[in-house]
Amino acid sequence: MQANVTSTQLQMKDQVVSEGILNIKPYPRRGKLLLEDGTTFEGTSFGYEKSMAGEVVFGTGMVGYPESLTDASFAGQILAMTYPIIGNYGVPDSSRWEDDKIHVAGLIVSHYIDTPSHAQSTMELGAWLKREKIPGLQVKDTRLLTQYIRTHGSMLGKIIFERDVPFYDPNAVNLVEQVSVKQVLREGQGEQTIVLIDCGAKRNIKRSLLARNVRVITVPWDWDLFAPGNDFTFDGIVISNGPGNPKLAQKTIKTVKTALERKIPTLGICLGHQLLALAAGGDTYKLKFGHRSQNQPCLLQDSKRCFITTQNHGFAVGVLPPDFAPWFVNANDGSNEGMRHVRDSFLSVQFHPEATPGPVDTDWIFDYFLEQVKGAGN
């Protein structure tokens, strides 16, 4: 006679019996997020169990956590995701990342999914965090955390398990130096040669340029493009995105100043927008809690057209340089989102026209810039 299977027996399918030893999945380890003002959020670990400090910020994207985690603009930051379900589609192959590693200092989610379902998934998000030694904390009320940051502004914080660590301010150090490439890299073919100054560039900036049959030469943030011994010529410059306070990247600012003096067509993206402004005589400031999302509305100046953009920045341009005019303005808070020189081919945007993850509303900016480069060469 066949025995009846009880509910208790069915539950034991999550238990593994090996060599006579019953292995049961361990209960998640507890941890906490401590903000610099003493506010605490309790949670459970799903990543690497190591105490870590940084600046606590929030991102409102519904998708794109692999791209966000590997975006160097997040270096030194503990990222709290507002979308409640994170990890549901796992981690894609590294060729789809925006850099070779995770850059966030820690990850905070509301509900972590450890059973991903996607054809391109290669591993669980938690396994990836553990491999990269990045802490992850599941905090049930991330809405409260987000509201708190929106009210009080981005602040320092730390994920703590057992051993405490001191607070760390990533905006007080030159993070660009830490995330930039260390040597020159040449890629692609084409009549136009564009130098990409890597301040922590997302891979899709380079992909977007290469897709347009452009030769791309990537250089470190402090590379002297105009040194007598430089062994390559170029038609234009793209200044990439990157982390931290733009005023600390003085060597890049110096290079861009020389480029402006020589009237070389230049496009700044995100941090590159801020660096171009500083090089041309403008000024930057720190936003209360920054823009980190895939739905920032940007109004094209002197028109009624609005573009939905991907953004990731904590600083913004507050004073435009002489002879520059606004190009885009944020429809939410009125902050500057882009600028153009009134005569020369110098332009920049605070958002990401390469858009990973989407939307692709402003992908045309690469074409517009390359037309400016072509026109300057005639």
Side-chain angles (χ1 to χ4, degrees):
M1 182 174 66
Q2 185 175 2
N4 292 327
V5 179
T6 67
S7 60
T8 300
Q9 290 171 319
L10 288 173
Q11 291 171 3
M12 289 188 67
K13 72 178 183 179
D14 293 329
Q15 302 172 341
V16 178
V17 178
S18 176
E19 298 180 353
I21 300 175
L22 183 63
N23 296 321
I24 303 176
K25 189 174 183 180
Y27 191 79
R29 189 176 178 184
R30 300 291 295 177
K32 64 181 179 182
L33 172 67
L34 175 64
L35 302 182
E36 62 180 311
D37 65 357
T39 305
T40 302
F41 294 85
E42 301 286 341
T44 55
S45 171
F46 67 94
Y48 189 71
E49 292 169 356
K50 173 186 178 182
S51 298
M52 187 72 74
E55 181 184 26
V56 182
V57 301
F58 66 86
T60 60
M62 295 177 65
V63 295
Y65 58 82
E67 293 90 339
S68 294
L69 296 184
T70 54
D71 181 353
S73 297
F74 277 116
Q77 296 180 335
I78 297 173
L79 174 62
M81 305 295 292
T82 63
Y83 190 65
I85 299 175
I86 300 295
N88 54 311
Y89 58 89
V91 180
D93 182 78
S94 60
S95 62
R96 297 180 178 274
W97 304 351
E98 289 306 303
D99 202 357
D100 294 330
K101 66 175 185 177
I102 296 176
H103 283 283
V104 299
L107 181 62
I108 307 292
V109 305
S110 174
H111 187 53
Y112 167 60
I113 304 298
D114 61 359
T115 54
S117 178
H118 197 287
Q120 295 176 344
S121 177
T122 61
M123 72 181 90
E124 298 174 11
L125 173 58
W128 189 27
L129 293 176
K130 291 174 183 176
R131 191 183 77 178
E132 301 264 333
K133 297 184 178 181
I134 304 297
L137 204 60
Q138 185 174 245
V139 174
K140 286 302 179 185
D141 202 348
T142 52
R143 293 176 301 174
L144 177 61
L145 172 60
T146 302
Q147 289 170 354
Y148 195 83
I149 294 174
R150 286 182 65 89
T151 301
H152 300 279
S154 298
M155 61 182 68
L156 304 184
K158 48 188 174 182
I159 297 174
I160 302 174
F161 292 104
E162 289 180 357
R163 186 179 66 86
D164 198 1
V165 292
F167 287 107
Y168 165 70
D169 184 0
N171 299 306
V173 297
N174 185 5
L175 294 174
V176 169
E177 182 180 20
Q178 298 177 18
V179 301
S180 177
V181 295
K182 305 305 179 186
Q183 56 187 0
V184 175
L185 178 64
R186 296 168 169 84
E187 296 172 274
Q189 301 291 332
E191 295 182 359
Q192 293 177 323
T193 298
I194 301 297
V195 165
L196 173 61
I197 301 179
D198 185 352
C199 299
K202 293 173 69 177
R203 283 177 174 169
N204 210 41
I205 293 178
K206 190 183 300 183
R207 294 187 195 111
S208 298
L209 292 170
L210 292 174
R212 289 165 169 80
N213 296 318
V214 171
R215 183 173 182 243
V216 178
I217 302 178
T218 304
V219 300
W221 73 286
D222 57 351
W223 187 266
D224 187 354
L225 286 174
F226 305 102
N230 219 15
D231 63 348
F232 57 83
T233 59
F234 52 93
D235 305 300
I237 297 172
V238 173
I239 319 163
S240 83
N241 63 292
N245 187 342
K247 293 179 179 178
L248 298 181
Q250 286 296 318
K251 291 183 179 179
T252 309
I253 293 171
K254 181 180 178 181
T255 297
V256 176
K257 282 183 179 179
T258 304
L260 298 180
E261 292 169 358
R262 300 190 181 194
K263 298 188 182 302
I264 298 172
T266 301
L267 169 66
I269 296 175
C270 197
L271 179 71
H273 165 61
Q274 301 159 23
L275 294 173
L276 178 62
L278 291 171
D283 199 10
T284 58
Y285 68 103
K286 195 174 191 305
L287 292 164
K288 184 176 181 180
F289 48 79
H291 299 155
R292 299 174 181 88
S293 64
Q294 299 141 30
N295 60 352
Q296 287 289 328
C298 293
L299 297 168
L300 180 64
Q301 190 74 7
D302 299 325
S303 78
K304 294 182 179 180
R305 186 162 188 181
C306 182
F307 295 89
I308 305 302
T309 67
T310 291
Q311 299 193 20
N312 176 15
H313 62 103
F315 289 80
V317 173
V319 178
L320 264 64
D323 296 325
F324 277 80
W327 193 9
F328 296 92
V329 175
N330 190 288
N332 287 335
D333 61 14
S335 61
N336 178 264
E337 293 285 1
M339 62 183 188
R340 289 188 293 183
H341 195 272
V342 295
R343 293 181 303 276
D344 300 317
S345 300
F346 312 140
L347 55 150
S348 59
V349 290
Q350 183 61 80
F351 48 82
H352 286 269
E354 82 283 356
T356 45
V360 295
D361 293 32
T362 56
D363 183 67
W364 57 269
I365 285 174
F366 288 107
D367 299 308
Y368 180 84
F369 171 64
L370 293 176
E371 284 297 322
Q372 297 281 308
V373 173
K374 183 178 181 181
N378 292 334

